[in-house]
Amino acid sequence: MTAEAISEGRTGSDFWDGVRLSMPVVVASAPFAILFGAIAVDNGFSVLEAFLMSALIFGGASQMVGIELFGQHVAPWLIVLSIFAVNFRHVLYSAGIGRRIAHWPLLQQALGYFILTDPQFAVAEARAVSGKPVGFVWYLGLGLPVYVFWVIESGLGAVFGKLIPDTHALGIDFLLPIYFLGLVLGFRKRPLWLPVVAASAAASIIAYKTVGSPWHVSIGAIAGVLLAVILPPHHSGIGERP
């Protein structure tokens, strides 16, 4: 077998490894994608507009917030500010993942940042910490199915939204928080993991009760980051194996 064939086989294997890891996210996010499409149409969007919003923005929580605010005829600047609050954590994600993909060509980096989501960051960071390279093909296998299914399911929700039962009554909406909890627990062996998670959780809960949604998401993230920053560098766990 030639070196070229071996390389192609490894590339294909990396892609499907990423696809396999993406499946829990695809399943867990499906109810939210369908729900978004239904809510979008209910707030006056056409099926095509709902489909394009998912395809061009690809930001689940921010799409939900935007749709709700559009429906209430809120001032445009407030919509932008609210979406910024929800997505501020992606500034932190980008800063973290940037050192892992800095060796990629610029076009690949741009695509990598576009499909960057909460689980995408967590899984990629865990892979890097374990000593494995974060290659473009593997990363694409991890993120592309989530993106494709999100867009398709948003369209289905827009078309068949009236037939969708209440996800709260079915308990389906709890799938994604459980998945995120599993991702967080995956980093539990890192030094100072518990204090950082506790600080982030406490700040998020307090912010939710006082400031309200969606600000609690970013406030919780910032609280965890600030605690990690003020702690001694040699205890931060950055670059160490879990």
Side-chain angles (χ1 to χ4, degrees), residues 25 58 90 93 113-122 139 146:
V25 187
F58 186 47
H90 283 274
Y93 291 162
Y113 287 125
F114 176 73
I115 62 175
L116 180 62
T117 60
D118 302 81
Q120 183 89 4
F121 170 78
Y139 187 96
V146 179

Side-chain angles (χ1 to χ4, degrees), residues 29-40:
S29 62
F32 296 92
I34 295 172
L35 184 62
F36 162 75
I39 292 175

Side-chain angles (χ1 to χ4, degrees), residues 135-212:
F136 176 72
V137 172
W138 174 85
Y139 187 96
L140 191 64
L142 178 63
L144 192 59
V146 179
Y147 171 77
V148 171
F149 277 96
W150 175 267
V151 174
I152 291 174
E153 289 158 355
S154 295
L156 291 175
V159 174
F160 302 106
K162 299 300 183 182
L163 303 177
I164 300 172
D166 182 8
T167 57
H168 293 281
L170 297 176
I172 298 175
D173 58 320
F174 202 62
L175 289 174
L176 207 55
I178 291 177
Y179 178 77
F180 284 144
L181 180 61
L183 291 178
V184 172
L185 289 173
F187 292 94
R188 66 189 180 279
K189 293 183 180 179
R190 281 193 171 189
L192 300 173
W193 171 85
L194 184 58
V196 170
V197 170
S200 181
S204 182
I205 292 172
I206 293 172
Y208 183 79
K209 295 294 185 180
T210 56
V211 182

Side-chain angles (χ1 to χ4, degrees), residues 15-224:
F15 179 81
W16 291 112
D17 282 346
V19 170
R20 177 178 54 82
L21 292 172
S22 75
M23 286 300 102
V25 187
V26 169
V27 174
S29 62
F32 296 92
I34 295 172
L35 184 62
F36 162 75
I39 292 175
V41 171
D42 194 51
N43 279 276
F45 279 57
S46 68
V47 173
L48 179 60
E49 287 169 340
F51 178 87
L52 289 177
M53 188 175 185
S54 282
L56 298 176
I57 297 178
F58 186 47
S62 59
Q63 288 179 223
M64 290 288 194
V65 171
I67 285 295
E68 292 292 342
L69 294 179
F70 279 131
Q72 298 173 20
H73 304 289
V74 176
W77 69 268
L78 185 58
I79 296 176
V80 173
L81 188 62
S82 298
I83 291 176
F84 176 81
V86 174
N87 279 345
F88 180 79
R89 69 192 189 280
H90 283 274
V91 175
L92 307 177
Y93 291 162
S94 298
I97 203 67
R99 57 188 173 146
R100 309 298 189 189
I101 65 175
H103 60 287
W104 295 1
L106 288 179
L107 187 59
Q108 292 184 358
Q109 288 188 45
L111 179 58
Y113 287 125
F114 176 73
I115 62 175
L116 180 62
T117 60
D118 302 81
Q120 183 89 4
F121 170 78
V123 175
E125 180 67 13
R127 179 180 176 89
V129 170
S130 69
K132 298 179 180 179
V134 180
F136 176 72
V137 172
W138 174 85
Y139 187 96
L140 191 64
L142 178 63
L144 192 59
V146 179
Y147 171 77
V148 171
F149 277 96
W150 175 267
V151 174
I152 291 174
E153 289 158 355
S154 295
L156 291 175
V159 174
F160 302 106
K162 299 300 183 182
L163 303 177
I164 300 172
D166 182 8
T167 57
H168 293 281
L170 297 176
I172 298 175
D173 58 320
F174 202 62
L175 289 174
L176 207 55
I178 291 177
Y179 178 77
F180 284 144
L181 180 61
L183 291 178
V184 172
L185 289 173
F187 292 94
R188 66 189 180 279
K189 293 183 180 179
R190 281 193 171 189
L192 300 173
W193 171 85
L194 184 58
V196 170
V197 170
S200 181
S204 182
I205 292 172
I206 293 172
Y208 183 79
K209 295 294 185 180
T210 56
V211 182
S213 177
W215 298 95
H216 69 291
V217 177
S218 295
I219 290 174
I222 292 171

